[in-house]
Amino acid sequence: VIPLEEALAELLAACPVLPVEHLDLRSALGCVAAKDLVSAHDVPPFACSAVDGYALRAADVAHADAGRPVSLAVLGSVPAGRTASGPLTAGATWKVMTGAPVPDGADTVVMVESSSASLDHPAASAGDQVLIFAAAAAGTAVRSAGSNVAAGDVLVSEGTTLGPAHLAVLASAGIRAVEVHPKPQVGVLVTGDELVTEDRELQPGEIYESNGAMVMALLTESSFEPRWLGVARDQPDTLADTLLAAAQECDVIVTTGGVSMGDADPVKAALGRLGRLHAMQVSIRPAKPFAYGLLDGPGRPVPVLGLPGNPVSSLVSFELLARPVLRSMAGHVELHRPDVLAVTDAPLAATGTDGRTTYLRVRGRFGTDGRWHVLPVSGQDSHQLAATADANGLAELAPHSRIEAGGEVRVRSLRWDH
Ligand code: AMP
Ligand code: MG
């Protein structure tokens, strides 16, 4: 039996980061940048107007106010995407739309609301006059070239998980494709002779299969790309063939069931027959058994991560072991969800006498004191997924420990959106 940290360290060392790929920005959401991405351009590329208004010289309107407007000669109108046909001259103005280049000679833009322009008299054509009712300091409403991004700036640094705005920042600098660690394609295979996936009545001894939906969803939720491989029966030879075939098509395979000490634990047996079995007993409750092995994929090793079959154990094992490994393979720097030091509103006690760390499923919320408060969910057995479904954290209890109501407990969050 080994501590969780040791088990995780072994897995992380065994499962290599996926090779870098060149992906179109549209496919790169959630991927990790494999290098610093530097801008070759200024953004905006030219000084442009922040408002719809009149580009002018601040000096020409220095004394303007509502009672003493300044009259300027309109030279014309510049929409976004065009440029003024000539420079600004003294006592004159170019009408400019948001995003239009500020004409040479202008140092400020007064917004249209501070002018006499109206629907009846838009004051947009050469020969029009416009009254300006407000002074403006030089630079007002002018977005200078490079004021968002300067050429040479790092747009996104190595290790950044690309979010929607990162993708747009890259696009704004003219970048169309990026070097990223791709998201792992994760095959999901559940095992068990008792499992039924069809829409039919159960025969004696059968149960409806449920880990598949959960593991597929856990993968999707964490931004991996799940691929359903179906139910494997408890026959090690067939299972070994299924795993070998899947290794040709997936970056990694997650299985559930068949890794404990039973007579017919087929994932262990299958990996054993392939000569690739690493079985672990992890010092946590639930989810003590875990098995993994590296198969030969096309050009690289394909890890098989064998989660235990009890539904709550599958969930906890995914969160504490598989998820960090998958994140590491995907190039993430931060492997874990945030931990919180929470207040427990009920007594919590480690279970069992064999010295394992207990992860009690808890439901947390912010209290009026601004702190995170947790309560254990009603059923803590490893088959009681119905109770666990409402949990949003795992409260960590050292072996044999007990925490009274009001005491502090370390909670590993499962998710933050409820
Ligand atoms: P195992 O680890 O294969 O011995 O399974 C432990 C327990 O989890 C048994 O009660 C199984 O019936 C149950 N179990 C295993 N796989 C699944 C699954 N995919 N869906 C629902 N229950 C499962
Ligand atoms: Mg089984």
Side-chain angles (χ1 to χ4, degrees), residues 191-195 234 256-259 264-266 309:
T191 66
D193 284 342
E194 72 281 30
L195 304 177
D234 293 332
T256 74
V259 294
D265 278 318

Side-chain angles (χ1 to χ4, degrees), residues 252-277:
V252 49
I253 302 161
V254 173
T255 64
T256 74
V259 294
S260 51
M261 308 302 267
D263 297 338
D265 278 318
V267 171
K268 271 167 72 172
L271 287 173
R273 279 171 209 209
L274 296 169
R276 306 294 168 93
L277 173 65

Side-chain angles (χ1 to χ4, degrees), residues 126-153:
D128 289 344
Q129 288 284 318
V130 68
L131 298 176
I132 302 296
F133 293 108
T140 303
V142 177
R143 295 172 172 164
S144 59
S147 57
N148 178 20
V149 171
D153 278 358

